[in-house]
Amino acid sequence: MSFDDEWNQLVAEASRRREAQTRLASAEEGGRSGADLANADFGLEDGPIRSKASGIRTANTDARSKSKLADARAAGTSHSGWLAGAASNDCVNAWQKRLHGLSDLVEDAADALTKAMDQQIDQDRSTAAGLRASARWLEGA
């Protein structure tokens, strides 16, 4: 390595150290202490997400119990002499099966939303704990 290369490397290292010291000094002046960080809220709010998931489940349950297809089925069975009665019943059965399948997908989506939120909040808490531990270590250094 030439003298110029070595000199440039040393100058760059000194510059990095000076920037790091400046950042630490400015953090001491205007930053929070470890005690302040211990009470800081780093987390996500799960209330709005839980509320949406609950709303999805409620709407889904209400939709299942208020199926208008039951009326069509009743009409098909009460007029058994109609040639279209059996076809109507088959159509209603197929639609009900499809709607229940879609309803199951909605329920699965609400469950996945809640699970993903729980995982994100757990990860967020873990990150916050790591930041707090690092802050305590820095204060003691």
Side-chain angles (χ1 to χ4, degrees), residues 23-134:
R23 276 186 266 134
L24 286 174
S26 67
E28 286 176 7
E29 294 168 5
R32 296 173 133 190
S33 71
D36 291 338
L37 286 174
N39 298 321
D41 181 13
F42 290 106
L44 298 174
E45 292 185 28
D46 63 339
I49 297 170
R50 287 194 194 282
S51 175
K52 289 291 182 191
S54 177
I56 289 170
R57 288 188 185 97
T58 300
N60 194 35
T61 300
D62 289 348
R64 279 183 190 251
S65 65
K66 295 179 180 177
S67 175
K68 298 298 181 192
L69 292 177
D71 296 339
R73 182 184 192 117
T77 56
S78 67
H79 301 288
S80 59
W82 289 1
L83 293 177
S88 175
N89 287 340
D90 290 344
C91 182
V92 168
N93 287 336
W95 268 109
Q96 283 182 333
K97 183 177 178 182
R98 178 67 177 146
L99 287 176
H100 285 291
L102 291 173
S103 182
D104 290 343
L105 288 175
V106 169
E107 194 73 28
D108 291 346
D111 291 343
L113 176 65
T114 303
K115 183 178 179 181
M117 180 214 42
D118 288 341
Q119 288 175 339
Q120 182 64 41
I121 287 175
D122 286 346
Q123 184 180 14
D124 196 46
R125 286 182 182 141
S126 175
T127 301
L131 287 171
R132 287 184 184 110
S134 295

